[in-house]
Amino acid sequence: ENSDVITFSKHVASYMPGYFHKIMPLIEMLISDSKGHPKVTLLLDIIKCFSKRGSSEQASSTPLFPSTKELLGQPMERSEDLDPVKDKAPYSSYNEYEETYFKLLRAECFSSIQKGILELTKEVPDNYDMNCFKNIRLAGIQMSGKRPSFAISFKPVKHVRDWKKSTQLMYGNLVCLSPCQDFSDPIWGVVSNRDENLLNEKS
């Protein structure tokens, strides 16, 4: 669990509007609990219209989430696919400008969780820079439109005294689940809610 997806989404919307369609799944997950409200539905429809327009204006093949090969490979910030920001020469096109910033922000967003996963899989004790959880079980499913929300039970690797004061699993945090426990099968999600009273009872 790491990275603030809301901040990442704002950066993409502000600096790379042509790439906003790539983060629509994250946006829909974030507002899944509010779907059905007329104003939220209207806003989501407007955002989708703009994201579809942006999608048709460029044809980047860079996925939002890193592949298993990326996740378990070399650090994303060292990827040969990353281009430096041009500050002394113009970009050849607007698409080149967007592609450059999108890839850099993507690497920044996922590099910390990637580093933590690599250290966790190598069993480096307590060195990984992320919060980890074990004994994960599915506790329930809620359908909101076409996207499901999953309630899970878990046990934090590091004990949490008071979930009301904890920064773990906050709204908008990115989470990566691995049923095989080696992250060769990553399942990505976003925290949409946490029941602090229930968590404190189970701690």
Side-chain angles (χ1 to χ4, degrees), residues 114-130 132 157-158:
Q114 183 210 25
K115 179 182 178 182
I117 287 173
L118 289 174
E119 292 177 344
L120 181 63
T121 55
K122 293 177 182 177
E123 298 183 350
V124 180
D126 300 324
N127 275 352
Y128 36 89
D129 183 24
M130 65 178 183
C132 298
V157 172
K158 298 178 181 178

Side-chain angles (χ1 to χ4, degrees), residues 103-159:
K103 288 181 177 180
L104 289 172
L105 280 173
R106 178 177 176 270
E108 182 180 9
C109 178
F110 290 100
S111 63
S112 182
I113 195 171
Q114 183 210 25
K115 179 182 178 182
I117 287 173
L118 289 174
E119 292 177 344
L120 181 63
T121 55
K122 293 177 182 177
E123 298 183 350
V124 180
D126 300 324
N127 275 352
Y128 36 89
D129 183 24
M130 65 178 183
N131 297 312
C132 298
F133 309 89
K134 58 184 180 180
N135 300 338
I136 298 175
R137 293 179 174 83
L138 181 64
I141 301 176
Q142 179 181 358
M143 294 299 298
S144 182
K146 296 181 180 180
R147 297 194 174 276
S149 294
F150 298 95
I152 60 173
S153 62
F154 56 87
K155 182 178 180 180
V157 172
K158 298 178 181 178
H159 179 67

